[in-house]
Amino acid sequence: MLVFSWSLVALLLVSSSLAEEDVATMEEDMSRELSVGELLERANRDRNPDLDEPILIEGDIAIKSEADRNADPCTSRNCLWRKWTNGKVYIPYYIANHYSSREISIITRGLESFSSMSCIHFRPYQNGDNEWLSIESRDGCYSYVGRQGGAQTVSLSRQGCLYHSTVQHELLHALGFNHEQTRSDRDSYISVQWENIIDGMAYNFNKIATLNQGTPYDYNSVMQYERYAFSKNGRATMVPIPNSNVSFGQATQMSKNDIDRLNRLYQC
Ligand SMILES: [Zn+2]
């Protein structure tokens, strides 16, 4: 709290001379403690998407058509990125030119974090690439699940999506992963409080055949939403069991299980 107060004082004192980027830096500092789920919820709360933007499910998962709403878009088809004979998975990316250098460095740090922990190597788009991630600031934070073919948008809005946790979260979607709370075994770990979910949003808690790779349910996964996700009344929509007081959904970066799961899926 003390830190926050000093940040606020500093912001007030120098606000008149601050460039836009400095303000963004301070906003990030103040949000450092927010979990990935809270950041995504905040960024995607009042979306007003352009007509060419995809339908989103589960808050931040893009789908190509209504028909994909109930299918698991990754396990029902080949969604993995190709592995090269040297054992590495090279995934081309293109970063739109509307980001500041500070924003690009957050995105790049997220992209590069994968190569130190797995065989996944994101690399800049080159002429002749057939499939790549197009990282753009659209309306909100979102990604498709798994490889789509051609250019696939990963939206990291300049308004609220440029954090290490949100970058890693959206990249894990693009690599084929879904949300922790939709795992088929989640009822053993999370009790969904259906009566507290916003009307029409219950489908966000449908269980699906996620790519668990033998790893345990992980409350600290960067893919786990927090206790009040999609709440219509401020009450919890998810309660951990058997101990309802256990902290969950507070990740600010990939967990050990997230990394293990990735390495097993791609056989790194
Ligand atoms: Zn997500």
Side-chain angles (χ1 to χ4, degrees):
M1 205 56 206
L2 186 64
V3 174
F4 174 78
S5 305
W6 277 113
S7 302
L8 196 60
V9 169
L11 185 65
L12 290 170
L13 284 174
V14 297
S15 59
S16 59
S17 61
L18 280 176
E20 187 188 340
E21 253 182 60
D22 296 327
V23 174
T25 306
M26 283 192 169
E27 281 172 358
E28 191 195 17
D29 289 344
M30 289 178 190
S31 304
R32 194 165 286 153
E33 298 307 317
L34 288 184
S35 68
V36 63
E38 289 163 327
L39 289 168
L40 292 173
E41 200 275 331
R42 193 177 66 167
N44 288 3
R45 191 179 296 153
D46 298 309
R47 293 181 71 247
N48 186 16
D50 291 335
L51 286 174
D52 66 337
E53 292 197 71
I55 303 165
L56 299 190
I57 57 170
E58 294 184 42
D60 71 323
I61 292 176
I63 53 174
K64 284 188 165 164
S65 71
E66 284 289 342
D68 286 339
R69 191 178 282 277
N70 294 313
D72 178 348
C74 202
T75 45
S76 57
R77 58 178 174 72
N78 178 17
C79 68
L80 298 192
W81 295 80
R82 239 173 349 122
K83 198 164 169 188
W84 291 65
T85 47
N86 66 0
K88 296 193 189 306
V89 178
Y90 296 101
I91 304 179
Y93 67 84
Y94 165 82
I95 300 178
N97 61 11
H98 45 227
Y99 290 110
S100 72
S101 56
R102 193 190 66 85
E103 290 165 343
I104 290 173
S105 72
I106 294 170
I107 296 168
T108 308
R109 180 174 164 238
L111 290 163
E112 288 176 354
S113 66
F114 284 80
S115 32
S116 59
M117 299 184 283
S118 70
C119 58
I120 307 294
H121 290 261
F122 294 100
R123 64 146 176 84
Y125 171 89
Q126 295 167 0
N127 256 345
D129 284 332
N130 293 319
E131 43 200 23
W132 68 94
L133 303 181
S134 182
I135 300 172
E136 308 163 28
S137 175
R138 305 300 304 271
D139 193 356
C141 331
Y142 60 80
S143 171
Y144 294 89
V145 172
R147 180 180 59 87
Q148 304 291 307
Q152 68 185 77
T153 302
V154 174
S155 174
L156 294 170
S157 169
R158 300 183 71 196
Q159 271 76 49
C161 303
L162 294 169
Y163 300 93
H164 192 54
S165 59
T166 46
V167 174
Q168 285 187 330
H169 180 105
E170 299 307 336
L171 292 174
L172 281 172
H173 279 321
L175 285 162
F177 293 96
N178 225 299
H179 292 134
E180 198 73 354
Q181 69 268 13
T182 60
R183 279 172 63 130
S184 50
D185 61 350
R186 68 105 195 278
D187 289 337
S188 304
Y189 303 91
I190 294 273
S191 168
V192 175
Q193 310 293 298
W194 300 99
E195 68 278 13
N196 296 333
I197 298 171
I198 298 167
D199 297 338
M201 292 281 182
Y203 70 89
N204 290 323
F205 295 88
N206 287 349
K207 289 184 283 187
I208 52 179
T210 50
L211 303 169
N212 303 331
Q213 305 300 300
T215 60
Y217 194 96
D218 184 5
Y219 290 140
N220 297 313
S221 167
V222 80
M223 305 310 277
Q224 169 71 55
Y225 275 11
E226 47 88 40
R227 195 177 287 259
Y228 303 98
F230 305 106
S231 175
K232 68 176 175 190
N233 52 18
R235 299 201 191 109
T237 53
M238 287 182 273
V239 173
I241 45 180
N243 181 353
S244 61
N245 294 319
V246 169
S247 162
F248 74 98
Q250 296 301 308
T252 54
Q253 62 181 334
M254 285 197 283
S255 69
K256 183 179 180 303
N257 282 313
D258 288 328
I259 298 162
D260 284 352
R261 211 171 286 161
L262 176 64
N263 280 309
R264 290 185 197 181
L265 179 64
Y266 283 91
Q267 300 177 340
C268 291

